[in-house]
Amino acid sequence: MALLLIQGSVGKTVDARVRDPQFLVDWLPQIVQDIGMVSVGKPIVEEYAHWDGSAPSAVQFIEAPSPIPSHTTGVQILTQSAITVHCYPDGFFQVSLDSCLPIPDWMRIRNKIMASLVLTEHMSRYLPEWGWRGTDK
């Protein structure tokens, strides 16, 4: 199993769009095609309220800003495994690409993902072998 993890801040030209779940519904299959992988089914995207520090209380509902800041999370199943995306209200973005096989030319794939989101990188890691297959040696 291989893992490509990218964390960063979404560029200003994309920031408002990533809060819209439809953005990820459109973006996930397109980026999967662009990086040469194959989607299985349609992406699953959920938007949910962001509550600092804990679950919401009645006071938070009363005092919450309008609209309530939200997270958006999306997943696209792949024939090779899955790509998962998480966007925080402050524009922080995380992309995880899991693959049952090594990810060929992972740096090109990383660059395509970052360019499509106008992403300012905070961190990216490629683990060519991880998980249960890497621990049984």
Side-chain angles (χ1 to χ4, degrees):
M1 295 179 74
L3 173 69
L4 176 59
L5 177 65
I6 304 166
Q7 294 179 335
S9 298
V10 177
K12 291 180 181 177
T13 59
V14 181
D15 189 35
R17 290 188 300 156
V18 297
R19 295 192 201 312
D20 179 2
Q22 188 60 48
F23 173 85
L24 290 182
V25 168
D26 297 337
W27 182 81
L28 279 162
Q30 184 60 54
I31 196 65
V32 167
Q33 181 180 350
D34 290 351
I35 64 177
M37 293 188 160
V38 180
S39 296
V40 176
K42 295 181 180 182
I44 301 165
V45 176
E46 292 292 332
E47 180 180 32
Y48 50 97
H50 171 75
W51 302 99
D52 288 331
S54 65
S57 68
V59 172
Q60 285 174 308
F61 278 113
I62 294 167
E63 296 177 353
S66 182
I68 297 170
S70 64
H71 291 256
T72 306
T73 298
V75 64
Q76 175 68 65
I77 307 300
L78 308 174
T79 56
Q80 300 90 337
S81 195
I83 185 169
T84 306
V85 179
H86 189 74
C87 181
Y88 294 81
D90 61 2
F92 183 78
F93 212 83
Q94 178 172 298
V95 179
S96 301
L97 175 60
D98 289 288
S99 178
C100 299
L101 302 170
I103 300 170
D105 201 7
W106 68 269
M107 198 63 145
R108 179 189 63 80
I109 291 172
R110 171 196 158 275
N111 293 342
K112 274 205 177 268
I113 290 170
M114 289 181 59
S116 70
L117 295 169
V118 193
L119 195 66
T120 301
E121 181 183 43
H122 294 278
M123 184 276 294
S124 66
R125 298 283 184 273
Y126 175 63
L127 303 173
E129 192 172 284
W130 73 281
W132 63 271
R133 290 187 184 192
T135 59
D136 62 357
K137 292 183 179 181

